Amino acid sequence: MFQFMTATRIIFGEGALNNSFSIFNNYGYSALVVTGRDDQRADSLLAYLSQQNIRYQRLAVHDEPLIAMVEEMAAAGRLFKPDMVIAIGGGSVMDVGKALSALIPNQGSVYDYVEVVGRALPLTAKPLPCIAIPTTAGTGSEVTRNAVMISAQENVKAAIRSPDLIPDVAIIDPTLTYGADKSLSARCGMDAFTHLMEAYVCGEPNPLTDMICEEGLRRLAPAIIHACEDDDPKARADMAFASMLGGMAQSNAKLGAAHGLAAALGAVLDAPHGAITAQLAPYVMAENILAAREAGRISLLNRYRQLACILTGRMNAEPSDGIVWVQRILRRLDLETLPQLGLCDTMFEEVAVSALRSSSIKGNPLPLSESRLIHILQQVCQFSNLEESSDPV
Ligand SMILES: [Fe+2]
């Protein structure tokens, strides 16, 4: 048995936003609009709301959201009493929008509803209608049921998670991702890759998420370089589509150790989520393949083999070829390494312990001990430092 949930309505394509404005009229007369900092991509939407006499209040999300910041925004939102929440921006913006849509009509604080560091209570009141509009191709948050934020007190990332958190409408317009700089596009794209990869090999896939992951990886593999380096419209569209599929996959299957470790690292490093998952992905793949060999998990090794075939386009690929593909893409995209982002060996134990508490790690295809997680972090640092020292000066 399995179930599958996603946004009620998905509108996808070039120009989708400007062609879908009338949808906002279906949801009432006032909107809380969550955006990134100084995001001009929201201008046409705000002009439409004004023209239609839809009252709005704009809230800007500057960085990865802290629980305290979401708490303040929820208080402001409750005073404003919106009929709907519109979130236009990257993953953090959409996550905050989804969290606010749930928190505004419900009593209590963020800690009442957040997992891991809070009480994880079920939502009693239905969230406000939420329309999510991604401007990056990475998180797939427009179709997921979780809203991730950072607990500064416990130094960990945690989420509010509920099927009711899935946006009512996802408007995915690849033109909104045009012109994004290479490093932002690269880390978002590699986060989308990590969602598809982890959901494909996770402990609880289902036939629909398998199909979605395979198509997402097929689209992403040839597109990621062209999207990031050339701003190629077809590649941008494929990345936006793959990102959405990654969101569907992670929301209906599970993730794994890359996201488990990223949840812990995201709270201690001042670094974007995608930059962290990108660097962890090949080493988590390697550790899982090693553990699968030791445990004789043939079916899991076959999954990694199939993953490698899709990524490389070669029918005779071996599981390790998938790792090589990821490392090659990472070198080409020239993303910052985790040591450059502040990871050092004194953090390993704390990060591994914290990762074991994360919800993502429970989806890893096989259980990884604290020492195996530390081994992953050691490998990440060792090979990153080797690459740096071998760079031509
Ligand atoms: Fe992610």
Side-chain angles (χ1 to χ4, degrees):
M1 189 183 88
F2 70 90
Q3 57 175 320
F4 189 88
M5 289 174 274
T6 193
T8 310
R9 186 169 178 179
I10 293 170
I11 305 168
F12 185 101
E14 286 88 348
L17 177 59
N18 288 347
N19 288 314
S20 306
F21 282 152
S22 60
I23 279 177
F24 302 117
N25 299 76
N26 296 342
Y27 293 100
Y29 302 96
S30 59
L32 192 66
V33 183
V34 186
T35 71
R37 183 182 2 212
D38 303 327
D39 195 341
Q40 291 162 352
R41 283 165 294 194
D43 288 353
S44 63
L45 159 67
L46 296 175
Y48 178 82
L49 297 179
S50 297
Q51 182 214 331
Q52 295 290 308
N53 293 321
I54 296 175
R55 197 168 64 90
Y56 70 82
Q57 184 177 69
R58 179 175 180 171
L59 296 176
V61 176
H62 296 172
D63 296 302
E64 301 227 356
L66 295 170
I67 286 178
M69 184 197 91
V70 176
E71 200 84 80
E72 274 178 30
M73 288 183 162
R78 283 176 182 135
L79 287 174
F80 182 64
K81 295 188 173 60
D83 293 328
M84 71 188 102
V85 175
I86 303 170
I88 175 166
S92 296
V93 169
M94 289 189 286
D95 279 8
V96 170
K98 287 155 62 181
L100 294 177
S101 76
L103 291 165
I104 290 170
N106 279 282
Q107 306 285 324
S109 78
V110 176
Y111 278 99
D112 288 325
Y113 302 105
V114 76
E115 291 178 346
V116 181
V117 295
R119 298 167 70 197
L121 296 175
L123 300 168
T124 48
K126 196 165 168 45
L128 296 171
C130 180
I131 299 112
I133 308 161
T135 58
T136 58
T139 66
S141 177
E142 67 273 15
V143 293
T144 69
R145 55 178 156 156
N146 52 315
V148 181
M149 52 200 89
I150 297 174
S151 166
Q153 284 171 356
E154 289 85 359
N155 258 0
V156 74
K157 279 191 165 186
I160 303 177
R161 206 177 301 268
S162 161
D164 289 338
L165 230 59
I166 300 176
D168 297 78
V169 184
I171 302 175
I172 302 142
D173 184 342
T175 67
L176 298 175
T177 68
Y178 290 2
D181 70 50
K182 181 181 168 184
S183 66
L184 172 70
S185 304
R187 61 179 184 255
C188 292
M190 285 307 295
D191 190 35
F193 163 76
T194 311
H195 298 151
L196 292 162
M197 178 274 289
E198 291 212 294
Y200 191 54
V201 298
C202 78
E204 293 179 45
N206 68 58
L208 262 174
T209 58
D210 283 349
M211 194 173 78
I212 281 169
C213 290
E214 288 180 3
E215 179 61 15
L217 292 162
R218 245 180 239 121
R219 294 253 195 164
L220 181 144
I224 188 163
I225 297 294
H226 292 303
C228 297
E229 293 187 350
D230 310 327
D231 206 20
D232 175 73
K234 164 81 168 60
R236 287 287 192 192
D238 280 341
M239 290 302 298
F241 192 67
S243 168
M244 176 192 76
L245 295 183
M248 288 177 180
Q250 64 151 307
S251 216
N252 291 283
K254 298 282 182 190
L255 288 169
H259 274 82
L261 285 164
L265 284 168
V268 294
L269 302 180
D270 185 17
H273 170 73
I276 297 172
T277 53
Q279 299 294 340
L280 288 167
Y283 299 98
V284 168
M285 290 165 75
E287 195 70 34
N288 278 342
I289 289 170
L290 184 66
R293 285 206 176 104
E294 288 171 9
R297 290 273 303 272
I298 304 299
S299 60
L300 180 56
L301 290 170
N302 284 338
R303 282 257 155 179
Y304 277 105
R305 183 172 289 109
Q306 183 60 25
L307 172 70
C309 291
I310 296 170
L311 295 175
T312 63
R314 287 192 284 109
M315 292 308 293
N316 61 349
E318 289 296 318
S320 58
D321 292 330
I323 303 169
V324 173
W325 182 90
V326 181
Q327 287 172 321
R328 192 170 52 78
I329 293 289
L330 286 176
R331 273 196 296 275
R332 174 77 179 258
L333 293 174
D334 199 23
L335 285 166
E336 284 179 296
T337 64
L338 289 183
Q340 285 170 337
L341 292 168
L343 178 63
C344 55
D345 55 8
T346 55
M347 299 174 176
F348 290 174
E349 197 176 325
E350 182 197 339
V351 167
V353 169
S354 175
L356 284 170
R357 292 172 56 212
S358 72
S359 44
S360 294
I361 204 142
K362 296 178 179 67
N364 202 60
L366 24 71
L368 292 181
S369 61
E370 184 184 323
S371 61
R372 278 203 182 268
L373 294 179
I374 290 174
H375 184 243
I376 291 169
L377 297 171
Q378 285 168 339
Q379 296 289 100
V380 170
C381 286
Q382 184 183 337
F383 286 97
S384 302
N385 289 333
L386 269 179
E387 275 179 30
E388 275 171 49
S389 61
S390 64
D391 275 347
V393 179

